[in-house]
Amino acid sequence: MYSQQTTPYGTNNSKLNSDRDGLQPMATGNGSRALSSSTVSFAPRGSSLNPSPAPGSFSSNMRSQLAPSRAGSNQDTSYSVANLERLDEDGVKPEQAISALKDSLNREMKIKEGSENMLEALNTKKAKQTKEQRQRVEAELNSSNQRIKELRNQISELQRPKIPTTPTKSRMDTLFQSNGLRSPPSGARSAGGSEFEEATESPTYALAEILQALELEGLTPDYYVGHANSLVELFKRHPTLKYDLVWSVFGLRMQVMLLSESREVVAAGYRMTRYAISDIASLQKIRGLNTDYIVVLSLIKKSNADVEREQALKFVRAFLDVKGGVHEVSRAVVRTIAAVAEHGEDRLRAICLETLAEIMVRDPALLVLSGGLRPLSDALSEGTYEASESLTAAFLFLLDAPQRRKYLRSGYELEVLFTPFTDSLFAQEKILKQNSRSIAYALKSWPGLMSLSMYNFRAVRSLISSLMLPNPTIRETVIDLLYSLLRIKSPFWATSFLAGRRLTTYGRVATLKATAPKTAQEDDSAEKSFVDHYTALLLAVLISSDMLPGLLQITRDTDNPMLKRKTTLLIGEVLKLASRLLPSTWSSDLQLLPELFAAASRFGDDERFDATGTVYQISSVSRTLYRSTPTGNGALVNTNNHSNDNLTGLEGQSKINPNVTLDETTFRQLLVESGVLSSTNSIKWKWDIILKIIEGPLLNGKRLDEAIKASKFIKRIMSFYRPFKYKFAEVRNTRINQKYIKVGCALMHTLLQTNEGVKYLADNKLLRQIAECLAQCDPTSGLTAQSPMFSKERLTETLCCGYFAMIGTLSGDIKGLQMLDRWRMINMMYHIIDLKQRPDLIKLLLSNFDYSLQGHPRVLLSKALTAGSKDIRIHATNVLRKYSRGSRLSASTSQGIGDSKWAIQLLVTQLYDPEVEVCATAIKILEEACNRKNYLEYIVQCRPALDHLGEIGAPLLLRFLSTSIGYHYLDGLDYISNEMDDWFLGRNDSYVGVIEASLARAFVEMPEESSNRMSVDEDNFEMDLDNEAHVPPHFYRELTRTKEGCKLLRDKGHFEEFASTIRDYGMLSDDAELILKVKGCLWAVGNVGCIELGAPFLEECDVVENIVKIAETHEIMSLRGTAFFVLGLISRSVHGLEILSEFGWDSNTTTMGASLGLCIPQKLNKLFSYETWQHERVLDIFMTENQQTAMTFAKTDEDFVSNRILELVIDLGNTVLQKRAMTELMHIKTKNVSNFKQPALFKKIMTLLESHHFRLTVRRFVIELFERSVLRRIVFEEESDEEDMASDNGSGSEGRTERQRSISDIT
């Protein structure tokens, strides 16, 4: 939960990983630290994934803070090799490294896109004026391309499976070499010798040898550090060795090291002990050695001891990794960690906050009793902690259930996030952005939405009311937050609109419905996702909190035109969302905007002009949004290539161009305006006009013949595209340059439509030169080139990849296929498919072919599906996705399965591929195809065998149940009865975890908009699938789709069992197992009730009333959310919606009356009905009688001086008395009294520090009053005779007993 957050102290992994550190020994001399002869050389700066952190931060290599790093022979390794070694050695997960590199790659891609946009803007200006600026931008673009290439190489290097090798000398041996244990390895030792030594090493003997070496006293610190590192390395090589430790021996060595005066030795002791932790018993043994005192003293030290403090904190966090280990963390330690977390300038503050958050999740009682809740709340309210989402998640976990909720105060813990928005005088942009992310995280979860909606949506209303404040930073942050909460994706024209362009300039919008064909409609297209259902509820909450009046206020009084336009766009999006998601009772009144129209109709008031302008803007935005709704997936819908359809300058063209029949004058005028006839420089050509000519008049054979013979228009354009003219082939592959590929594909398509064009294309040198370039990559052709036109670098960096898009256009026409065959290109492609060294070329070919015709392209694809490498087979399988879903059916094709049979047959064949990943890809695509009934029936006719795939094939088999033919097919395999019993007995419960994880990802992650630009390295076929949360299919839902399935369900009586479980146990909140059972039954009932054939089951069992009761009154917030989603499922059927309307729930419907399954209560306060819960005092909940007695005993002492010291320590917690108490304590210290040498007094003061809140500096001051020998006597349980006599009355013994309970037993 907390392992992925980033802290500002130089670490990617906020959780201190136990094997990411190697402690370097240090040598002493003349009061300074220096590296001894046994030290090793570390990699130079920059050789890690992160920049080198400051001393004391969470670096992957622990070293003496002041020791300078020394260059050595091991530093000449490359970045990638060092990186891979770091992964092997330090235990850093490759996924984390890849994630970091991908973040850098995304950053570079954005820089590249910005540079391309800048170039596009500069191209519209005069070349002479912008020459110098264009050169700088091009240089930055080239640099960005180079960095992107390097990052992709590093990512592929990390993703490549590692080949086991036998190094001549282990890097770990060098890093952890020690003094005095064994002689250093010889540089001439062979690899075989190292393996022999490793294989014959006796771990038990090596352990005894190291422990014996640690017995020696009075040696230099680097001696002990080196042996501790050797012991850690031994534990790494033999993980089971720690289970055989003799703690009487090992514990003594540990105590000696932890009591050392050298910080490095103490740090090595913590690290050594941490690696020795195995289970809860080992933790108890460690605590039995009085380590709590040492940990507390280490954590309160000054920042120059960060190496020791860091290892002490890692040591404490290791307790949390053991099951039940949190109960072995003492209150004293947690109280000290909380004190560090409150110290704003401490380097360890961030990791202490995360440690407290983890403790709060595992044992909230311990945290609250130890005062750890306050620093967490302060960190949330201040907005200074960068990983605030993790803290928010911890609070949400506590708020969910009543057993944990009582530890928090009602309406306080999360509402502190809204403080920066309501206090405009001290609002800072950084804090506002930070808190807005936490608010969004909270509102996208059920506990957050439920708790923030208490007291009549008080918190949400305060956020909306902040829009009234005349602070542009607050307003813009809140508007961005609303965009995020409602999951609104800005339309393609939003950037230009916000910059001031009028919407009427977007000619493309007027014809967008014709230019963006929709993909194939699925049977379940009317069913909205759970994300839309949740968004509908969130939108209702925001509307109830007066969101629209707040937004309209901004449009009236803001002086920022961009903010005003952004708000206007948001209003249009909200109105559009409301009409699509909310019931008519909500959206009908909303669309009227009565306040705005009332202001616009006040003719005597000057403000009506602003209101009238707002009305016009909202109307214009809403009209444009309506026109731009049916956007398609450019990369998947486009027949010819993967280029972006929304290119600037090409937006005004329609696929169905009305300008085919132009008069001669207009046609010639277009030719002149294109600039082709007046210049041979392609940069000066008007490519939007060229495209208009090619897609319009040139489709007429007469006009084409005129353009060929009477002018140089076609000749010059064809010359531009010829490879060996090095014009088109040398253009950089950027987003703005994709227009050249688009025009080239349109030119190929136009020439194929007429006999004149076919003849001209056949005689032109273009295809012959493309064939020659292709032959350079064919090893059997005999043609070679030093720099092939289709080399991997050129395909990535230049528009050479566009030739394959043109080939794809040719492959969609019979005449085009004949031309490809004429120049032997088809033969070359067969040879290239067999070329294992060029997977990029194969992917490019397969991606751009048009497979709508029976012929060579399908044969090539079939060959790649069966004979290619694993990567190629997966790619080829993904190519079949767009042909198996019917998206390529032409207008003349009937609604039957048509030409998709061949694709489905190939996909069924892929189910028998030896690689599981290929089979899984085919299963996914076939499952999508099953959304259409006729496709599903044909897949069943193919009778695929899925037994060998196990769980991977289960979703596809479930889809077979939805038709009668599939039901009988599976019934013959005896699948249905076995699967039904399996779901009833256990799978129903496990489904809960799967769907909750899927929904959690969908709510938190906002899908990023794809640029759809052509790429050789990226797989564009999966880009629209990864963004959508995949809701797993439910067995009972698919079973209920057929009458046979409903009969079987009725005969088995499973539905009645589910309804009975909901009635009997639905309102329980304290039994986790029964709650899981109830959730499973809820999902089963909802999936049955959403089907029309299954709706009668709802009426028979009368279970809807119980589900509504759970949604409106249950104590567990997440269970209310489950019931809410289940009611949405039930509302998808006519019977279900009728039943829900009786209970006051309503849903939006289509114009035909079909429910969209987005039901919400007509009165929101029925769902958000939580009242203030009882928050009991901490002492009443936690403090047992023994603990209170121990605390009372620690406040007094029979000795007068000791008693006065205790009183002064208590006064240190009072800010008024603090200075006087410190002065008096220092005065007592200067008298050299023996009290500060007494272990009994020390223990009492430790009890006071554990039981009360003191700042870190105060704790450090109190502990430093005592001599170090006191701690040693306590750890080794050494008591002097004098102290024994002083405590002979037994009270001291009793106090120690109570103290031991206090510090050990958390009750």
Side-chain angles (χ1 to χ4, degrees):
M1 182 176 182
Y2 301 99
S3 59
Q4 300 299 325
Q5 303 298 332
T6 304
T7 66
Y9 298 101
T11 176
N12 281 357
N13 197 357
S14 61
K15 187 169 184 177
L16 297 182
N17 216 333
S18 59
D19 42 359
R20 285 192 57 205
D21 50 351
L23 194 65
Q24 178 163 326
M26 72 140 214
T28 58
N30 298 328
S32 62
R33 300 183 187 90
L35 292 178
S36 67
S37 59
S38 65
T39 56
V40 300
S41 55
F42 291 86
R45 287 181 68 89
S47 64
S48 173
L49 290 174
N50 298 320
S52 298
S57 60
F58 291 87
S59 60
S60 56
N61 290 326
M62 289 296 302
R63 70 193 71 179
S64 178
Q65 296 173 23
L66 302 180
S69 58
R70 187 160 55 92
S73 59
N74 288 339
Q75 292 186 359
D76 56 356
T77 56
S78 67
Y79 179 91
S80 299
V81 174
N83 202 22
L84 292 176
E85 287 179 349
R86 178 70 54 90
L87 292 176
D88 292 337
E89 167 198 338
D90 296 336
V92 178
K93 296 181 179 178
E95 293 81 2
Q96 296 175 1
I98 293 175
S99 176
L101 289 174
K102 284 185 176 180
D103 289 342
S104 301
L105 181 61
N106 290 335
R107 198 158 49 245
E108 291 298 335
M109 293 295 289
K110 290 179 181 178
I111 294 174
K112 179 179 180 180
E113 186 174 355
S115 302
E116 293 171 353
N117 291 335
M118 178 66 75
L119 279 178
E120 182 181 6
L122 294 176
N123 285 336
T124 61
K125 301 179 181 179
K126 292 184 179 181
K128 292 183 179 180
Q129 297 177 353
T130 61
K131 180 179 180 181
E132 184 178 348
Q133 190 174 4
R134 185 184 290 107
Q135 288 176 350
R136 288 201 302 268
V137 175
E138 288 177 349
E140 178 62 28
L141 183 60
N142 294 335
S143 175
S144 183
N145 286 328
Q146 184 63 30
R147 287 194 294 268
I148 290 172
K149 182 179 178 181
E150 293 175 357
L151 287 170
R152 284 177 173 166
N153 290 337
Q154 291 171 16
I155 291 174
S156 60
E157 184 73 21
L158 290 174
Q159 290 175 336
R160 186 177 301 147
K162 298 178 182 178
I163 303 174
T165 58
T166 306
T168 57
K169 182 178 178 181
S170 171
R171 187 168 181 261
M172 300 299 288
D173 290 341
T174 306
L175 185 60
F176 292 102
Q177 62 180 315
S178 58
N179 292 342
L181 180 60
R182 60 169 66 96
S183 59
S186 170
R189 180 176 295 169
S190 65
S194 299
E195 287 182 353
F196 178 78
E197 181 185 0
E198 185 76 18
T200 58
E201 178 187 35
S202 172
T204 307
Y205 176 79
L207 174 63
E209 187 181 15
I210 295 174
L211 293 178
Q212 185 178 2
L214 289 174
E215 286 184 7
L216 301 177
E217 297 181 3
L219 298 177
T220 57
D222 64 326
Y223 174 85
Y224 299 105
V225 172
H227 283 79
N229 286 338
S230 300
L231 185 57
V232 169
E233 178 62 18
L234 186 65
F235 283 142
K236 285 184 178 181
R237 290 198 303 268
H238 306 283
T240 59
L241 185 61
K242 55 189 174 185
Y243 294 97
D244 301 327
L245 281 177
V246 180
W247 281 95
S248 60
V249 178
F250 180 82
L252 181 60
R253 308 292 177 269
M254 173 196 72
Q255 289 174 315
V256 172
M257 292 190 68
L258 294 182
L259 291 171
S260 172
E261 295 185 2
S262 169
R263 292 192 290 265
E264 283 76 9
V265 174
V266 177
Y270 281 124
R271 182 169 178 263
M272 176 185 73
T273 310
R274 176 159 49 91
Y275 276 88
I277 295 175
S278 57
D279 51 19
I280 192 72
S282 63
L283 294 180
Q284 294 169 351
K285 292 175 182 176
I286 290 172
R287 292 198 61 212
L289 298 172
N290 298 314
T291 53
D292 288 340
Y293 297 104
I294 308 175
V295 171
V296 170
L297 265 63
S298 295
L299 289 174
I300 65 175
K301 289 185 177 180
K302 295 181 180 180
S303 58
N304 58 0
D306 274 349
V307 63
E308 176 183 339
R309 301 173 70 225
E310 177 183 327
Q311 288 298 321
L313 193 55
K314 285 186 177 184
F315 173 70
V316 175
R317 290 178 64 86
F319 281 50
L320 305 180
D321 294 333
V322 179
K323 184 178 181 181
V326 67
H327 303 298
E328 293 300 324
V329 181
S330 71
R331 296 197 308 274
V333 172
V334 180
R335 181 79 73 173
T336 308
I337 294 176
V340 177
E342 286 180 340
H343 197 59
E345 299 177 357
D346 200 290
R347 287 183 179 274
L348 302 185
R349 178 175 183 262
I351 200 64
C352 285
L353 286 172
E354 290 204 12
T355 304
L356 293 175
E358 289 192 45
I359 294 174
M360 182 169 71
V361 170
R362 289 179 167 88
D363 191 350
L366 171 64
L367 181 93
V368 176
L369 180 60
S370 305
L373 195 60
R374 177 179 173 179
L376 293 179
S377 297
D378 291 345
L380 272 184
S381 61
E382 294 169 2
T384 54
Y385 180 60
E386 294 186 0
S388 58
E389 290 94 333
S390 63
L391 301 187
T392 306
F395 281 106
L396 294 176
F397 176 77
L398 261 64
L399 285 169
D400 187 30
Q403 296 86 356
R404 302 186 294 266
R405 196 183 306 146
K406 63 184 180 182
Y407 300 125
L408 304 178
R409 286 169 290 178
S410 175
Y412 173 76
E413 310 300 348
L414 283 183
E415 289 193 9
V416 298
L417 290 169
F418 296 83
T419 304
F421 292 92
T422 56
D423 190 358
S424 61
L425 296 178
F426 300 98
Q428 299 180 18
E429 184 176 1
K430 181 180 179 182
I431 296 178
L432 289 172
K433 297 288 185 184
Q434 186 71 38
N435 283 27
S436 68
R437 287 197 294 269
S438 298
I439 293 172
Y441 186 92
L443 287 175
K444 290 178 182 178
S445 68
W446 284 111
L449 182 60
M450 292 287 181
S451 59
L452 292 177
S453 299
M454 293 175 61
Y455 311 112
N456 193 23
F457 312 108
R458 181 178 68 186
V460 182
R461 286 180 186 274
S462 69
L463 180 69
I464 299 300
S465 63
S466 65
L467 291 173
M468 304 295 183
L469 300 174
N471 187 316
T473 305
I474 292 179
R475 285 179 166 180
E476 188 166 357
T477 305
V478 174
I479 289 176
D480 289 339
L481 175 60
L482 294 175
Y483 270 100
S484 172
L485 290 174
L486 298 177
R487 308 177 68 83
I488 296 174
K489 287 185 179 181
S490 299
F492 68 90
W493 43 266
T495 303
S496 299
F497 170 68
L498 295 179
R501 285 184 64 186
R502 294 180 59 191
L503 288 174
T504 52
T505 61
Y506 297 98
R508 178 179 182 273
V509 174
T511 56
L512 196 101
K513 288 183 179 290
T515 62
K518 291 185 179 181
T519 57
Q521 293 293 320
E522 301 175 352
D523 291 343
D524 294 334
S525 60
E527 297 180 349
K528 299 301 179 183
S529 67
F530 295 114
V531 176
D532 283 342
H533 194 188
Y534 190 86
T535 304
L537 178 63
L538 194 55
L539 178 60
V541 170
L542 292 171
I543 291 173
S544 300
S545 303
D546 302 327
M547 175 176 65
L548 278 178
L551 295 177
L552 291 174
Q553 178 69 25
I554 297 179
T555 62
R556 288 197 293 266
D557 64 9
T558 184
D559 296 329
N560 187 338
M562 179 173 287
L563 182 60
K564 186 173 182 178
R565 282 174 167 260
K566 195 172 187 178
T567 307
T568 304
L569 180 60
L570 178 59
I571 293 175
E573 292 279 8
V574 167
L575 296 177
K576 174 185 166 186
L577 268 182
S579 64
R580 184 170 67 89
L581 301 180
L582 295 181
S584 57
T585 54
W586 282 81
S587 58
S588 57
D589 296 337
L590 192 67
Q591 305 291 336
L592 299 178
L593 297 176
E595 296 180 3
L596 183 63
F597 279 92
S601 59
R602 295 193 189 102
F603 294 99
D605 192 349
D606 291 340
E607 291 184 359
R608 74 181 183 88
F609 296 108
D610 291 336
T612 304
T614 304
V615 171
Y616 169 76
Q617 287 280 12
I618 293 175
S619 174
S620 180
V621 166
S622 299
R623 185 168 55 251
T624 309
L625 285 172
Y626 170 75
R627 290 171 176 170
S628 60
T629 296
T631 54
N633 267 329
L636 298 182
V637 174
N638 189 0
T639 304
N640 299 327
N641 57 25
H642 304 285
S643 61
N644 193 343
D645 288 337
N646 299 333
L647 295 172
T648 303
L650 303 178
E651 296 172 353
Q653 303 306 317
S654 171
K655 297 292 182 185
I656 306 174
N657 200 313
N659 299 322
V660 176
T661 56
L662 292 177
D663 59 86
E664 187 172 348
T665 305
T666 306
F667 174 62
R668 290 184 177 178
Q669 181 65 27
L670 284 176
L671 293 181
V672 173
E673 290 177 358
S674 68
V676 177
L677 303 181
S678 59
S679 174
T680 58
N681 187 354
S682 59
I683 297 179
K684 297 181 179 180
W685 294 351
K686 302 296 177 56
W687 286 93
D688 52 342
I689 299 178
I690 294 174
L691 182 64
K692 184 177 180 180
I693 295 172
I694 291 174
E695 291 185 338
L698 294 189
L699 291 172
N700 186 319
K702 178 183 177 182
R703 297 294 183 208
L704 178 62
D705 190 56
E706 180 181 347
I708 293 173
K709 296 179 180 178
S711 71
K712 296 183 179 180
F713 181 79
I714 294 293
K715 179 181 178 181
R716 286 184 174 175
I717 292 179
M718 294 293 284
S719 174
F720 169 76
Y721 283 102
R722 279 164 53 185
F724 297 130
K725 288 286 186 178
Y726 294 103
K727 296 179 180 178
F728 172 79
E730 292 296 319
V731 178
R732 305 288 298 178
N733 184 12
T734 61
R735 184 177 61 86
I736 59 175
N737 289 337
Q738 299 298 308
K739 59 187 177 184
Y740 301 123
I741 300 178
K742 185 179 180 69
V743 173
C745 293
L747 180 61
M748 296 295 107
H749 177 266
T750 298
L751 292 176
L752 290 173
Q753 303 308 307
T754 59
N755 293 330
E756 293 85 353
V758 170
K759 184 176 184 302
Y760 180 80
L761 184 59
D763 296 337
N764 195 270
K765 295 180 181 180
L766 175 63
L767 293 184
R768 184 174 63 191
Q769 292 189 7
I770 293 177
E772 184 176 344
C773 296
L774 206 59
Q776 294 173 355
C777 302
D778 180 8
T780 63
S781 66
L783 286 178
T784 58
Q786 185 175 2
S787 177
M789 185 67 69
F790 293 156
S791 65
K792 185 174 182 178
E793 292 75 17
R794 291 182 66 89
L795 290 177
T796 304
E797 302 296 333
T798 68
L799 291 186
C800 286
C801 54
Y803 288 117
F804 293 89
M806 300 178 197
I807 292 174
T809 304
L810 294 174
S811 66
D813 190 282
I814 296 178
K815 299 172 185 175
L817 285 173
Q818 291 174 351
M819 292 184 192
L820 294 177
D821 194 33
R822 174 189 174 189
W823 295 108
R824 301 291 186 270
M825 279 192 260
I826 298 294
N827 291 343
M828 299 175 196
M829 292 172 191
Y830 277 107
H831 297 150
I832 291 173
I833 292 292
D834 294 330
L835 192 61
K836 307 297 183 184
Q837 290 80 11
R838 291 299 306 275
D840 58 309
L841 199 58
I842 299 173
K843 288 182 180 180
L844 209 52
L845 281 170
L846 298 176
S847 302
N848 287 281
F849 270 139
D850 190 329
Y851 301 97
S852 56
L853 297 177
Q854 176 69 40
H856 288 291
R858 292 188 184 179
V859 179
L860 285 165
L861 179 61
S862 178
K863 185 175 182 181
L865 285 168
T866 54
S869 63
K870 173 185 168 182
D871 193 29
I872 295 298
R873 297 203 304 275
I874 292 176
H875 182 88
T877 306
N878 277 316
V879 170
L880 290 170
R881 173 176 280 118
K882 49 192 173 186
Y883 294 96
S884 64
R885 297 189 299 187
S887 58
R888 292 302 184 102
L889 296 177
S890 62
S892 61
T893 307
S894 66
Q895 290 302 312
I897 190 168
D899 288 338
S900 294
K901 286 185 177 181
W902 69 273
I904 291 178
Q905 289 172 353
L906 289 176
L907 285 170
V908 171
T909 304
Q910 292 304 95
L911 298 178
Y912 310 107
D913 193 278
E915 292 291 342
V916 178
E917 290 88 342
V918 180
C919 300
T921 306
I923 288 284
K924 268 176 133 180
I925 299 174
L926 287 173
E927 193 181 346
E928 295 167 15
C930 288
N931 288 325
R932 300 186 63 172
K933 186 176 180 181
N934 47 1
Y935 283 56
L936 173 57
E937 292 178 349
Y938 183 73
I939 294 173
V940 175
Q941 290 177 13
C942 296
R943 303 180 67 85
L946 300 173
D947 295 341
H948 63 289
L949 295 178
E951 288 296 324
I952 297 176
L956 186 58
L957 288 174
L958 286 182
R959 301 307 298 269
F960 287 1
L961 281 175
S962 59
T963 61
S964 294
I965 182 174
Y967 179 90
H968 292 295
Y969 169 65
L970 295 177
D971 192 33
L973 299 176
D974 200 23
Y975 168 82
I976 298 177
S977 59
N978 293 334
E979 191 73 5
M980 194 171 187
D981 293 339
D982 191 18
W983 273 79
F984 183 73
L985 296 175
R987 291 276 292 282
N988 210 31
D989 298 340
S990 61
Y991 179 83
V992 175
V994 176
I995 193 169
E996 286 185 351
S998 176
L999 292 177
R1001 286 193 300 271
F1003 291 150
V1004 175
E1005 297 174 2
M1006 181 72 176
E1008 295 183 0
E1009 300 179 24
S1010 174
S1011 63
N1012 293 346
R1013 78 177 284 267
M1014 180 182 295
S1015 173
V1016 181
D1017 301 324
E1018 298 174 359
D1019 188 359
N1020 288 327
F1021 295 105
E1022 296 182 355
M1023 82 183 146
D1024 63 332
L1025 298 175
D1026 295 337
N1027 290 336
E1028 290 292 334
H1030 177 67
V1031 177
H1034 199 285
F1035 173 80
Y1036 289 100
R1037 180 177 185 174
E1038 305 301 326
L1039 183 68
T1040 319
R1041 291 182 185 272
T1042 59
K1043 294 181 179 179
E1044 297 89 342
C1046 291
K1047 183 178 182 302
L1048 178 64
L1049 182 61
R1050 194 180 304 276
D1051 293 341
K1052 290 272 191 179
H1054 287 183
F1055 193 88
E1056 290 79 3
E1057 289 287 340
F1058 296 146
S1060 176
T1061 302
I1062 293 173
R1063 277 194 297 267
D1064 297 340
Y1065 307 109
M1067 298 306 296
L1068 292 180
S1069 60
D1070 54 355
D1071 191 326
E1073 187 175 345
L1074 280 177
I1075 291 172
L1076 179 64
K1077 188 77 173 176
V1078 169
K1079 284 185 177 181
C1081 294
L1082 284 172
W1083 283 113
V1085 168
N1087 279 283
V1088 171
C1090 71
I1091 306 297
E1092 293 295 341
L1093 291 175
F1097 287 96
L1098 299 173
E1099 292 182 307
E1100 294 171 6
C1101 297
D1102 197 21
V1103 72
V1104 177
E1105 181 180 1
N1106 301 100
I1107 300 177
V1108 171
K1109 184 179 179 182
I1110 292 174
E1112 295 179 353
T1113 63
H1114 205 283
E1115 286 296 315
I1116 298 179
M1117 297 179 178
S1118 59
L1119 191 54
R1120 281 200 192 190
T1122 301
F1124 175 79
F1125 286 135
V1126 169
L1127 291 177
L1129 287 172
I1130 292 174
S1131 69
R1132 294 180 180 181
S1133 63
V1134 176
H1135 290 302
L1137 185 57
E1138 290 176 355
I1139 297 172
L1140 284 172
S1141 62
E1142 298 175 3
F1143 295 100
W1145 289 65
D1146 196 8
S1147 173
N1148 195 10
T1149 58
T1150 63
T1151 53
M1152 301 299 293
S1155 172
L1156 298 177
L1158 304 175
C1159 72
I1160 61 174
Q1162 295 172 355
K1163 296 181 179 178
L1164 285 180
N1165 56 6
K1166 294 172 62 178
L1167 181 63
F1168 301 104
S1169 58
Y1170 278 101
E1171 300 292 338
T1172 303
W1173 56 82
Q1174 185 66 31
H1175 175 66
E1176 301 180 21
R1177 293 191 310 134
V1178 174
L1179 293 180
D1180 295 338
I1181 300 175
F1182 304 110
M1183 295 299 289
T1184 65
E1185 184 178 353
N1186 290 336
Q1187 291 169 345
Q1188 290 178 356
T1189 303
M1191 188 171 63
T1192 304
F1193 174 79
K1195 293 180 179 179
T1196 59
D1197 195 279
E1198 294 181 355
D1199 183 76
F1200 175 78
V1201 178
S1202 297
N1203 190 67
R1204 182 55 183 164
I1205 291 174
L1206 292 174
E1207 292 175 354
L1208 292 172
V1209 169
I1210 294 174
D1211 290 344
L1212 289 174
N1214 187 329
T1215 54
V1216 177
L1217 305 176
Q1218 185 182 102
K1219 186 175 181 181
R1220 182 184 62 79
M1222 294 180 72
T1223 304
E1224 189 170 347
L1225 282 172
M1226 288 300 299
H1227 181 67
I1228 296 174
K1229 173 71 173 177
T1230 56
K1231 291 183 179 180
N1232 293 323
V1233 296
S1234 62
N1235 301 75
F1236 289 119
K1237 300 178 183 178
Q1238 297 175 3
L1241 180 62
F1242 183 84
K1243 290 181 179 180
K1244 287 186 177 184
I1245 289 181
M1246 290 295 290
T1247 303
L1248 293 177
L1249 295 179
E1250 174 187 352
S1251 306
H1252 297 83
H1253 175 265
F1254 294 96
R1255 294 191 175 276
L1256 182 64
T1257 52
V1258 174
R1259 292 173 177 271
R1260 185 183 303 132
F1261 170 77
V1262 172
I1263 296 300
E1264 288 178 351
L1265 293 174
F1266 287 85
E1267 296 185 1
R1268 290 189 57 88
S1269 60
V1270 177
L1271 180 61
R1272 181 179 185 90
R1273 288 155 62 187
I1274 291 177
V1275 171
F1276 289 115
E1277 299 178 352
E1278 300 173 354
E1279 298 289 344
S1280 65
D1281 295 338
E1282 182 180 351
E1283 289 175 3
D1284 286 339
M1285 292 174 60
S1287 58
D1288 194 45
N1289 55 13
S1291 60
S1293 176
E1294 181 185 354
R1296 286 193 298 273
T1297 302
E1298 295 300 334
R1299 169 62 191 154
Q1300 202 63 26
R1301 289 176 185 168
S1302 175
I1303 204 168
S1304 303
D1305 303 327
I1306 307 302
T1307 58

